[in-house]
Amino acid sequence: MTDTSTRQHREVRDGEPAGPDDGVLTVRDLRVTDTAGAEILKGISFDVAPGETVALIGESGSGKSMTAKALMGVLPAGLSASGDCRLGTQPLLRLGDRERRAVSGAMISLLLQDPFTILNPLTTVGTHLAESITAGGSPPGAAIADQVRERLEQVGLGEIEERYPFELSGGMRQRVALAAAIARDPAVLMADEPTTALDATSQRRLLQLLQQSQRARGMSLLLITHDLRVALSMSDRVLVMRHGEIVESGTAAQIGNDPAHSYTAQLLASEVPVRERLVQLRPVPRPALDPAPISDHPSRVSAKSGDLLRVTGLRKAYGGGRRSSVKQALQGVDLVVGEGRSVGIVGGSGSGKTTLARCVLGLVTADAGTIELTSDSEGSIDISDRSALTTTARGAATRAIQCVFQDPYASLNPSHTVGFTLAEAVGQRLRLAGTRGSRAEIADEVEALLDEVQLDLALASRQPGKLSGGQRQRVAIARALAMRPRLLVCDEPVAALDASVQLEILEVFRRTAERGISMLFITHDLAVARQVTQDLVVVCEGEVVERGSTEDVIDAPSHEYTRNLVAAVPTGKRSWLD
Amino acid sequence: MSTDVIVTVPSRRNRRWFSPLTLGCVLVTVVLAACALLGPWLNPFDPHTQDLLSPSRPPGDGHLLGTDALGRDILGRLIEGTQAALVGPVVVMVGGSALSITLGLAAGYFGGRVEAVIMRLVDLLYAAPALLVIIIFVGMVGGGYWGAVVMLIVLSAPAGTRMIRSAVLGQRHLPYVEAAESLGMSKPRIMAVHLLPNIMPTVVASALLEFVAALVGLSTLSFLGLGAPIGSPEWGRMLTENREFLELNPWGAIAPAILIVVAALSATVLGDAISSRLSRGKAE
Amino acid sequence: MTMFYWIARRLAAIGATLVVLSFVVFALLYLAPGRPEEVLLGTRPATPETLAAIRAKYHLDEPFLAQYLHWAGDALRLQFGESIQSGQAVTAVIGERLPITIMLAAYAVALVVVVAVPSGLLAGARPGSRFDRAATMVSTFGFGAPAFVIGIVMLYVFGIVLGWFPVYGGGSDDLLDRLHHLTLPALALTVSVAAIVFRQTRAATMSVTHADYMTFASTRGLPRRLVWGRYRLRNSSLPVITSVGAIVAFFLTGAVVVEQVFSLPGIGSQLVGAVNTKDVPVIQALALLMAAFILLINLICDVVYLLVDPRLRKAMVA
């Protein structure tokens, strides 16, 4: 670490008033390289002052998680870090095993992303906290059991010392992890996407707790997140990362209102608002491909009338075998999807919304209730139990209802090319319709499908592994469209995508809806629902608690659960967590 | 459970496809295959001529590895016996894989009662000491070498079934499988076209493990006097017959021992290489 | 209470399995070539009188099921009849041979636990390290080498060429002499079993090494003792426990082979000898003994698993 590189970096940081001594955590020229010599972090520098909250934001692959792992000395095998990183006087990258243990947890701590894997599955909550508290030797004061109780109360948890992680919800586990991470009151806490795996309500609760703990202790917080709105409402300063570099840093207000770097501006523009339906979804318009502006008046697209799908009294329970207790996923759900309408289903995790989608798709069979599908030729048929249908009726139901899943990385078969996947779907439709297509006909249709989701024809010969997340999701949509469905069931189709890609995919869904295809859109994200749905159904613990037009439900929620959901959507304003 | 998989994850050094070790194993495999296919017809060393005047001689005098108790050329008999030594393991590998793929796919994909029945059976057989069962049955009831092969297929399939089932369970609920179901594809098609290609690394790994287990098992049976018929140049049998003469010509027993180990080693290394190659192909 | 109930149920299941197995084992008498009384007569001269005596003694004139019940009732009292070869009681013949096998097994288990488990843990904790690669190579070798090959090579090198160890038999009853005789066999058995134990331990440890909770444990500065014990060992023991059953089966096979190679007078070589001489009563007793042993080990593993994993305990209570 030389003076020159520090100075160079000072210039990059552009007028930011910071010296090497004014931060409790100072990072200078941090580089992370793999064995092949490729740089994952390309020399980043920043400070975190005592009591300050700094947000490190960036899309997937920007290297933001590596920053925290490097500072804690827990980089994956094969990666090495260099640079001058200090916590007070401790050189973080040069600590031996013994010194590292004295620093970790006591002075700096790390909260990880996934609450389902962060805790030792074989030990109790109480053990987790007790071992964290006593890691540096028994602390003075009250008995350990009392301290454990107190720490749990601080994160809003009751007497759960005897419980095991598997008995708790994701939100509760993450709160236990938070309490364990700060059990020895470290000067700095780094939180790596701590709420990404949680639903909106649990996210807000955890962030509130993070903020409270931080204020109570005067602790510094480095919040690593992909969510700009969360970053803006939580932090004093924001660092924007891209491809292993910090491209911009500034106060939350600066970044939010007047971004200097084009990438930051682009990130800001990709945020999906919950309060309005955007006329134009794509942040950077592509004039050659864009047809006339998309209508802001949803009513215009629903030219057809009548109900396509009518769900009545749907019930589904899981478990109940000798080994597990019964869990009621759906407790009598009614739902109507009109011809050409887009209906959103929103709710927190465990609300039963995914079970509903799977019932409609025929992937699981409901315990009670009916799912009526209106078909042109046969009138209305109950498709709730697909195995009870005649082959023709089952084929008709399959063709009418298609799906797009959440995880674009797993929704395409990695062994087959895009062309094979689409051709297979086209062939399947023809087979179900009782005809067969020639090779050329199928190839033509595959071409048309790729065109419809705006993918290059050359992609047909590629395997999904060589595609980006957005491209994969387009292929998944094309596969569903290959069946020429009348209803598209989408289960969190943009939840796993970076913000900029989200908008592109939402645009594809809008086009689909424009063609008169009905949609059942499952999402936890009200902002996303706002952009693509006309009607909204709110489910909570397997029951519908509110329904109405999307605008009405979001702007004037009547049920308490819905109000909480709306309040839990990050606004990017500091008042959000109050 | 998933940890029945005792496939070695390739260490960093032999991640390359053509590591020297892998290349060596490919070479060994080619040579052994050539011996197995052509040995009985194109053997450069005469395995049959007896020379009772020079029994169990150490190497030399035109016999590269010396002679056995009847004065026959050891090297020639080793080449002659390659076919006998490998045909059983290959049959077990093919038969056992077919059985474990079928059972593993069915258990993993259908779940429910089908899975319960298959896995109950598999777990019962899994804990059975296969060779001891074969020793008792073949020894008492009969059936000879091929009886042992058939029993090995049945008794080695449970390990493969467990591996393949847990691989299928890893894929079973991925959206691409559910997408195929939503497209109304038939169950056999989903299993064959969608699931099978994605569990190939496990299939290859389990097949090669079955080969190694069968090679080891069948030669052990020969050693115990239950495998290949007496006088056959099968390696395990040769080892047993020549071990009494270790002090006269150690090669008579050591050479077949080395061949068994080298063949098993090559199969293990090749299995690891192919299966990690396949899974990396998927990950890319 | 639930736990006792659960163990009782497992015991019942084991009992049922044993009944089924005993049925098959009893049927061996009929599956073997020749009439049962001829099988039981062995090489003794067959006269109408001796055959009739045997028919009477083994109740061979009664229906099959009744014969089985007679036999099973005796088996429950550990009476398996007389060895065809020696004419002595089967229980006595086996009891004579059992100690040496137990000693061999204990010797080898000790070696395996000392060698394979720590090296598996170390290799799995640092996958790709020099130690890991070397140990994995050695285990690949051990995995592909049949126990009898290892035995014969060891016998040749250490027994014949170097002359360090005796090459034949189990030695006298003197403990040191016995150990001296058992060292080579135990080593041969260890090499073949250690390879599998090493691979299982390594795979289990490796699956834990990259777990988030390991990272979280070290970022909280937990003492090394806890990170290794409460976190790494406990979690990686689960998959190893489930495979103990298969390892025991493998171990038994290895013991039989090794006893044969080194001409040790244990129950392994006794089994091979009994098979070769078609000594049905001895085979029946040995088969049941081994089955009961394997089932018992599996039961112990189940109980240990239950004690370690709270998720299973909860599922059991429900």
Side-chain angles (χ1 to χ4, degrees):
Chain A
M1 178 67 215
T2 60
D3 286 344
T4 14
S5 59
T6 317
R7 214 174 303 128
Q8 276 173 352
H9 217 89
R10 203 67 50 71
E11 283 159 22
V12 175
R13 293 174 67 242
D14 204 18
E16 184 74 28
D21 300 325
D22 63 353
V24 58
L25 177 66
T26 59
V27 175
R28 291 290 173 275
D29 197 35
L30 174 60
R31 289 169 193 276
V32 170
T33 42
D34 65 16
T35 39
E39 287 200 329
I40 294 155
L41 285 184
K42 299 168 182 163
I44 62 166
S45 305
F46 63 88
D47 297 317
V48 181
E52 189 185 27
T53 301
V54 175
L56 189 58
I57 71 159
E59 300 195 314
S60 49
S62 61
K64 51 193 196 306
S65 292
M66 284 305 155
T67 309
K69 291 217 161 91
L71 294 178
M72 291 305 297
V74 290
L75 282 175
L79 298 183
S80 58
S82 72
D84 187 18
C85 304
R86 285 173 187 284
L87 176 72
T89 58
Q90 298 279 356
L92 282 179
L93 301 185
R94 298 202 187 86
L95 296 175
D97 269 9
R98 187 178 295 270
E99 300 154 308
R100 169 74 65 191
R101 272 198 296 279
V103 169
S104 293
M107 297 170 70
I108 183 167
S109 211
L110 174 65
L111 183 60
L112 297 165
Q113 171 174 351
D114 188 349
F116 295 95
T117 57
I118 193 172
L119 300 176
N120 186 348
L122 305 183
T123 53
T124 60
V125 168
T127 309
H128 276 96
L129 283 169
E131 70 187 9
S132 308
I133 293 170
T134 57
S138 285
I144 298 298
D146 295 335
Q147 293 197 29
V148 167
R149 175 75 45 87
E150 187 191 328
R151 295 287 171 168
L152 284 173
E153 275 165 17
Q154 283 172 6
V155 293
L157 294 172
E159 295 181 22
I160 57 163
E161 292 98 321
E162 296 300 317
R163 300 266 221 90
Y164 287 93
F166 74 95
E167 298 173 291
L168 306 176
S169 71
M172 287 169 86
R173 292 190 210 194
Q174 196 68 322
R175 282 193 257 165
V176 171
L178 171 62
I182 58 176
R184 285 197 282 160
D185 301 318
V188 179
L189 174 67
M190 299 191 283
D192 185 3
E193 301 268 16
T195 59
T196 307
L198 305 179
D199 65 27
T201 337
S202 312
Q203 156 164 299
R204 181 152 173 262
R205 183 84 186 102
L206 189 83
L207 292 175
Q208 280 171 338
L209 286 167
L210 258 178
Q211 204 166 57
Q212 283 164 14
S213 327
Q214 181 205 7
R215 287 183 183 153
R217 289 171 174 76
M219 183 175 72
S220 306
L221 177 64
L222 182 68
L223 178 69
I224 298 167
T225 177
H226 70 283
D227 192 329
L228 197 54
R229 292 170 297 184
V230 166
L232 292 178
S233 47
M234 280 281 287
S235 57
D236 304 312
R237 283 192 301 126
V238 176
L239 311 167
V240 183
M241 257 187 109
R242 186 192 196 190
H243 303 327
E245 288 173 302
I246 293 181
V247 296
E248 184 172 3
S249 67
T251 63
Q254 265 175 341
I255 298 280
N257 301 324
D258 185 20
H261 197 280
S262 61
Y263 178 67
T264 316
Q266 195 187 319
L267 278 184
L268 275 170
S270 349
E271 290 296 322
V272 184
V274 70
R275 289 287 160 202
E276 56 177 336
R277 183 181 165 101
L278 294 173
V279 179
Q280 178 61 269
L281 276 172
R282 190 175 287 114
V284 189
R286 280 196 275 166
L289 285 170
D290 272 4
I294 287 166
S295 163
D296 193 20
H297 302 289
S299 52
R300 251 176 49 187
V301 292
S302 49
K304 288 183 261 181
S305 60
D307 297 340
L308 176 63
L309 189 80
R310 179 180 289 277
V311 174
T312 323
L314 205 64
R315 285 178 179 280
K316 176 72 190 171
Y318 287 112
R322 259 190 310 157
R323 303 218 133 195
S324 59
S325 53
V326 182
K327 183 184 179 311
Q328 296 290 341
L330 296 176
Q331 319 200 43
V333 167
D334 301 332
L335 181 77
V336 172
V337 181
E339 192 86 58
R341 300 288 288 184
S342 294
V343 178
I345 313 264
V346 294
S349 55
S351 60
K353 54 189 195 306
T354 293
T355 306
L356 177 58
R358 295 169 62 83
C359 285
V360 171
L361 283 167
L363 292 173
V364 294
T365 304
D367 300 333
T370 58
I371 305 174
E372 286 168 90
L373 175 73
T374 313
S375 98
D376 295 332
S377 51
E378 300 174 35
S380 143
I381 48 171
D382 179 8
I383 57 161
S384 57
D385 184 3
R386 297 258 176 130
S387 58
L389 296 178
T390 64
T391 316
T392 342
R394 200 179 320 136
T398 300
R399 273 189 295 153
I401 305 178
Q402 277 302 304
C403 59
V404 178
F405 293 103
Q406 170 174 359
D407 185 359
Y409 292 91
S411 65
L412 300 177
N413 189 331
S415 297
H416 298 312
T417 62
V418 168
F420 178 92
T421 298
L422 294 180
E424 187 187 39
V426 172
Q428 180 68 12
R429 185 194 77 229
L430 296 172
R431 196 171 310 126
L432 290 178
T435 57
R436 297 186 65 182
S438 72
R439 223 165 245 266
E441 278 166 8
I442 292 181
D444 283 348
E445 204 173 323
V446 167
E447 199 173 316
L449 284 168
L450 284 171
D451 194 48
E452 207 163 308
V453 293
Q454 292 163 20
L455 280 177
D456 198 63
L457 200 62
L459 292 184
S461 58
R462 303 241 181 108
Q463 302 212 319
K466 302 206 163 57
L467 268 52
S468 71
Q471 286 174 324
R472 293 181 204 201
Q473 204 59 317
R474 282 165 195 261
V475 175
I477 296 170
R479 174 180 56 196
L481 294 180
M483 297 292 275
R484 300 195 183 150
R486 292 160 64 210
L487 175 69
L488 200 56
V489 179
C490 311
D491 187 5
E492 301 274 12
V494 296
L497 301 173
D498 278 332
S500 54
V501 186
Q502 269 194 4
L503 285 183
E504 291 178 20
I505 299 301
L506 288 178
E507 170 102 9
V508 176
F509 281 121
R510 273 199 187 172
R511 279 166 199 276
T512 310
E514 286 245 295
R515 297 177 37 199
I517 297 176
S518 307
M519 283 206 285
L520 196 59
F521 206 95
I522 318 290
T523 180
H524 71 286
D525 190 340
L526 286 173
V528 164
R530 184 87 196 222
Q531 303 310 317
V532 288
T533 66
Q534 298 151 344
D535 304 312
L536 215 52
V537 174
V538 184
V539 286
C540 169
E541 289 180 3
E543 284 179 277
V544 175
V545 296
E546 184 165 359
R547 67 178 92 224
S549 82
T550 303
E551 292 97 280
D552 291 349
V553 171
I554 293 178
D555 293 337
S558 61
H559 194 277
E560 162 133 35
Y561 181 74
T562 320
R563 276 199 293 277
N564 281 336
L565 274 186
V566 174
V569 177
T571 57
K573 303 203 170 54
R574 302 197 71 90
S575 57
W576 174 55
L577 290 176
D578 294 341
Chain B
M1 307 239 160
S2 57
T3 43
D4 295 16
V5 187
I6 37 175
V7 186
T8 1
V9 169
S11 58
R12 218 176 302 151
R13 180 160 294 176
N14 53 25
R15 272 206 191 133
R16 280 167 298 148
W17 180 221
F18 286 116
S19 76
L21 181 67
T22 317
L23 209 59
C25 292
V26 172
L27 208 69
V28 168
T29 311
V30 171
V31 169
L32 288 181
C35 288
L37 293 173
L38 306 172
W41 295 279
L42 290 172
N43 196 336
F45 308 96
D46 177 9
H48 300 297
T49 307
Q50 300 183 357
D51 182 357
L52 294 172
L53 292 176
S54 51
S56 296
R57 287 283 173 83
D61 194 19
H63 299 295
L64 282 177
L65 293 175
T67 58
D68 69 4
L70 295 176
R72 291 173 298 193
D73 185 70
I74 296 279
L75 182 58
R77 281 179 63 75
L78 282 176
I79 295 173
E80 175 85 0
T82 310
Q83 194 173 60
L86 295 185
V87 68
V90 168
V91 170
V92 172
M93 177 174 78
V94 173
S97 295
L99 198 59
S100 46
I101 289 173
T102 314
L103 292 177
L105 269 175
Y109 183 70
F110 292 113
R113 208 162 293 166
V114 176
E115 183 177 29
V117 170
I118 292 177
M119 293 321 286
R120 178 68 57 90
L121 215 65
V122 160
D123 282 341
L124 198 73
L125 289 183
Y126 183 66
L131 274 189
L132 297 188
V133 174
I134 295 175
I135 290 170
I136 293 175
F137 263 84
V138 173
M140 288 306 298
V141 183
Y145 184 75
W146 290 103
V149 165
V150 170
M151 289 191 73
L152 258 185
I153 289 178
V154 174
L155 290 170
S156 72
T161 306
R162 287 169 69 128
M163 277 171 73
I164 288 170
R165 168 177 163 268
S166 68
V168 171
L169 286 180
Q171 305 281 322
R172 171 74 187 86
H173 291 289
L174 289 182
Y176 78 84
V177 179
E178 304 202 319
E181 285 170 356
S182 303
L183 287 171
M185 283 175 200
S186 69
K187 290 186 160 72
R189 183 179 169 91
I190 290 174
M191 287 194 268
V193 177
H194 289 277
L195 283 171
L196 193 55
N198 290 306
I199 56 164
M200 271 325 266
T202 310
V203 169
V204 170
S206 103
L208 268 303
L209 280 180
E210 276 176 46
F211 175 83
V212 173
L215 184 69
V216 169
L218 287 171
S219 60
T220 301
L221 286 175
S222 293
F223 168 75
L224 296 175
L226 289 164
I230 293 166
S232 143
E234 193 259 352
W235 299 338
R237 172 62 66 187
M238 274 181 74
L239 202 172
T240 314
E241 287 169 3
N242 290 325
R243 93 177 236 257
E244 290 163 50
F245 311 102
L246 261 178
E247 279 161 276
L248 296 172
N249 178 16
W251 288 105
I254 302 286
I258 291 175
L259 269 184
I260 292 171
V261 175
V262 163
L265 210 64
S266 302
T268 312
V269 172
L270 269 189
D272 284 355
I274 296 174
S275 123
S276 74
R277 171 79 184 170
L278 285 174
S279 46
R280 244 179 314 149
K282 297 276 182 298
E284 267 159 20
Chain C
M1 265 334 272
T2 0
M3 183 120 160
F4 286 112
Y5 175 66
W6 180 85
I7 293 176
R9 250 187 29 205
R10 290 286 305 159
L11 277 172
I14 286 177
T17 313
L18 267 178
V19 167
V20 174
L21 278 177
S22 68
F23 207 78
V24 178
V25 165
F26 174 71
L28 275 177
L29 184 60
Y30 281 86
L31 292 171
R35 285 186 296 155
E37 56 268 34
E38 287 167 0
V39 172
L40 288 169
L41 191 64
T43 49
R44 281 172 287 174
T47 61
E49 293 78 46
T50 49
L51 284 176
I54 285 195
R55 293 194 71 83
K57 185 175 171 197
Y58 289 93
H59 314 281
L60 292 181
D61 293 318
E62 293 178 34
F64 183 77
L65 206 61
Q67 289 176 39
Y68 167 73
L69 288 178
H70 278 295
W71 176 82
D74 288 344
L76 271 181
R77 292 193 297 273
L78 294 179
Q79 287 167 5
F80 294 90
E82 286 96 47
S83 159
I84 297 170
Q85 283 298 303
S86 67
Q88 287 173 280
V90 169
T91 325
V93 177
I94 292 177
E96 203 173 279
R97 295 256 193 148
L98 202 53
I100 202 157
T101 301
I102 290 175
M103 206 156 156
L104 170 70
Y107 200 163
V109 165
L111 286 174
V112 167
V113 169
V114 167
V115 175
V117 175
S119 50
L121 282 170
L122 224 62
R126 296 197 171 64
S129 66
R130 197 164 296 183
F131 175 78
D132 176 37
R133 278 176 296 167
T136 305
M137 260 323 273
V138 173
S139 85
T140 309
F141 178 83
F143 186 67
F148 76 95
V149 168
I150 298 169
I152 288 175
V153 170
M154 280 187 161
L155 195 108
Y156 179 67
V157 174
F158 297 104
I160 295 177
V161 176
L162 297 171
W164 292 354
F165 295 98
V167 297
Y168 180 88
S172 65
D173 279 340
D174 175 55
L175 186 69
L176 271 180
D177 185 52
R178 180 58 57 84
L179 281 180
H180 192 214
H181 273 85
L182 285 181
T183 298
L184 271 191
L187 274 174
L189 184 52
T190 303
V191 171
S192 62
V193 177
I196 284 197
V197 174
F198 167 81
R199 284 177 158 225
Q200 296 277 13
T201 317
R202 177 180 178 275
T205 313
M206 214 161 61
S207 66
V208 170
T209 295
H210 298 297
D212 274 354
Y213 53 77
M214 288 300 290
T215 308
F216 192 52
S218 65
T219 64
R220 280 179 291 150
L222 296 190
R224 199 198 300 253
R225 165 179 60 82
L226 281 189
V227 174
W228 272 86
R230 190 179 287 168
Y231 280 75
R232 189 189 293 285
L233 273 176
R234 236 161 125 173
N235 279 288
S236 58
S237 69
L238 290 183
V240 174
I241 295 170
T242 56
S243 56
V244 164
I247 293 173
V248 166
F250 196 81
F251 191 94
L252 272 179
T253 313
V256 169
V257 172
V258 163
E259 283 185 8
Q260 192 70 6
V261 171
F262 291 92
S263 319
L264 289 180
I267 57 166
S269 49
Q270 188 173 33
L271 176 74
V272 177
V275 166
N276 284 333
T277 55
K278 304 259 191 292
D279 197 340
V280 174
V282 173
I283 293 172
Q284 287 173 329
L286 284 175
L288 276 186
L289 179 69
M290 289 180 182
F293 175 67
I294 289 176
L295 289 171
L296 183 72
I297 295 280
N298 277 295
L299 174 73
I300 294 174
C301 290
D302 283 348
V303 173
V304 172
Y305 202 111
L306 203 63
L307 291 176
V308 177
D309 194 343
R311 287 163 292 192
L312 198 67
R313 277 205 298 278
K314 165 118 173 188
M316 196 187 74
V317 171

